[in-house]
Amino acid sequence: MEDNVTHHISSIYLVGIPGLQKFHCWIGIPVCFLFVLTLLGNSIITVTIKLEPSLHQPMYFFLSMLAVNDMALSSSTAIKMLGIFWLDAHWIDFDVCLTQMYFIHTLCIIESALLVAMAFDRYAAICTPLHYTTILTTSMVIKMGVGGVSRAILMVLPCPLLIKRLPYHTKCIINHTYCEHMAVVKLASDNTSINRAYGISVALSVMVLDLSLIATSYIKILQAVFRLSSQNARSKALGTCGAHVCTILVSYTPALFSFLTHRIGKKVPPSVHIIFASVYLLVPPSVNPLVYGVKTKQIRDRVLGLFFPNKKVSEK
């Protein structure tokens, strides 16, 4: 009878990657590498944009927001993962677990909103170049940033509040490396249909809306580019979009795979799903600064100038 008693649990045991526990110490090495790379790369991007007046443009303001968001997202997951993999620190307080869950999902939605804002920036720059500076003013950039953050905060807020009302059995084990919404919901001993429906509706609405806006922006961009008579002008216009397209692919591909395997991939081993769910949160933040550093000439030149000032002088 004792096992059937429900209550509100105080802590949760995060298993890590089930079936691969004996390899945890080795798995922690790439996790640590990606975390350090994220902090280092995004810090360099942020500092470069702050110090270089020529980069004080809407495109780079959005990029600096993305860099800060990426560092926050990586920190909210990687630190606990490393604790599990290297220190066997599997237990996490229930309220801390809900806080981690809230920040992870909020930061993911903010990331998506920033990708939409960056797509709009490219649309304005290529399709309406004469009005670009009047459309994307500093106040507009701030409004778009605040709007993206507000949307994420308000959309995710009901998730932990709905979870807090649920009763639980004594079992409090999650086969995951971090506190993911559906994984926490599945622990409950009561009907969770409201939680599941709300979680899926938030995920689908964000993905469908944001991907539709990004796709619409790029359809308009391609139409404008192919109307240009000069091949050189076409290449230059598309070149400014290269880094953003790479970031979209890096961000959304593992996110879509993780979302689909969690809902419909019944035959996918839990370890594969957890690895992809972890990759989704760790890889894009570490790759984004590399993509923008390589693909964006202005940033590449400024970063090289910061680290090799003498070389920059000698090339002038």
Side-chain angles (χ1 to χ4, degrees):
M1 290 291 290
E2 191 70 31
D3 289 340
N4 293 323
V5 176
T6 58
H7 57 94
H8 293 281
I9 54 179
S10 60
S11 57
I12 287 174
Y13 185 90
L14 293 170
V15 172
I17 304 176
L20 298 176
Q21 285 94 330
K22 61 182 179 181
F23 301 109
H24 272 180
C25 62
W26 296 105
I27 295 170
I29 295 172
V31 171
C32 182
F33 173 75
L34 290 171
F35 182 45
V36 171
L37 191 64
T38 297
L39 296 181
L40 185 62
N42 285 293
S43 295
I44 290 171
I45 291 285
T46 307
V47 170
T48 302
I49 292 170
K50 181 177 175 60
L51 295 179
E52 183 52 55
S54 67
L55 297 178
H56 293 176
Q57 301 171 30
M59 174 183 174
Y60 301 109
F61 290 149
F62 288 130
L63 180 55
S64 62
M65 291 181 204
L66 185 69
V68 171
N69 192 75
D70 280 343
M71 287 189 282
L73 179 59
S74 188
S75 299
S76 66
T77 52
I79 294 171
K80 184 58 186 177
M81 285 185 192
L82 292 173
I84 293 169
F85 295 149
W86 284 350
L87 304 174
D88 284 332
H90 293 271
W91 288 100
I92 183 171
D93 184 83
F94 185 64
D95 289 331
V96 175
C97 181
L98 291 185
T99 303
Q100 185 195 40
M101 180 202 77
Y102 177 77
F103 275 103
I104 287 171
H105 293 298
T106 299
L107 292 167
C108 285
I109 295 176
I110 292 172
E111 180 112 353
S112 186
L114 288 171
L115 292 177
V116 173
M118 293 167 87
F120 178 73
D121 169 81
R122 291 300 82 208
Y123 162 77
I126 293 170
C127 298
T128 58
L130 297 178
H131 303 288
Y132 177 69
T133 53
T134 55
I135 294 172
L136 277 167
T137 59
T138 303
S139 64
M140 177 57 74
V141 171
I142 292 170
K143 285 176 185 175
M144 290 172 75
V146 171
V149 171
S150 301
R151 179 187 74 155
I153 290 171
L154 294 174
M155 287 186 87
V156 182
L157 187 59
C159 292
L161 297 178
L162 287 170
I163 287 172
K164 286 287 282 184
R165 71 182 178 83
L166 294 171
Y168 291 85
H169 287 304
T170 51
K171 183 183 177 183
C172 49
I173 299 170
I174 293 179
N175 288 318
H176 219 305
T177 54
Y178 60 88
C179 293
E180 195 265 343
H181 177 249
M182 285 306 299
V184 177
V185 167
K186 285 178 181 178
L187 290 178
S189 58
D190 203 356
N191 189 319
T192 59
S193 56
I194 294 174
N195 300 71
R196 291 168 185 267
Y198 185 76
I200 291 172
S201 64
V202 167
L204 284 176
S205 62
V206 169
M207 277 193 179
V208 171
L209 175 63
D210 290 3
L211 284 173
S212 298
L213 291 172
I214 290 169
T216 303
S217 296
Y218 273 96
I219 288 168
K220 297 287 187 184
I221 287 169
L222 289 173
Q223 288 174 344
V225 167
F226 287 120
R227 281 199 295 266
L228 297 172
S229 55
S230 167
Q231 179 64 41
N232 187 45
R234 289 181 189 177
S235 300
K236 190 174 180 181
L238 289 174
T240 62
C241 302
H244 185 240
V245 171
C246 290
T247 302
I248 291 167
L249 292 174
V250 166
S251 298
Y252 281 112
T253 304
L256 284 169
F257 184 88
S258 178
F259 177 81
L260 291 172
T261 55
H262 200 71
R263 266 86 187 174
I264 61 177
K266 302 297 182 184
K267 294 183 180 179
V268 177
S271 58
V272 173
H273 164 69
I274 291 164
I275 289 168
F276 262 90
S278 302
V279 163
Y280 156 54
L281 296 180
L282 293 174
V283 172
S286 64
V287 171
N288 286 344
L290 295 176
V291 168
Y292 276 93
V294 172
K295 289 278 187 183
T296 311
K297 185 178 185 298
Q298 294 93 323
I299 290 179
R300 185 171 67 246
D301 290 346
R302 297 305 178 275
V303 170
L304 289 173
L306 284 175
F307 287 96
F308 306 104
N310 293 331
K311 186 178 177 182
K312 186 180 178 184
V313 171
S314 65
E315 287 175 349
K316 281 185 176 181

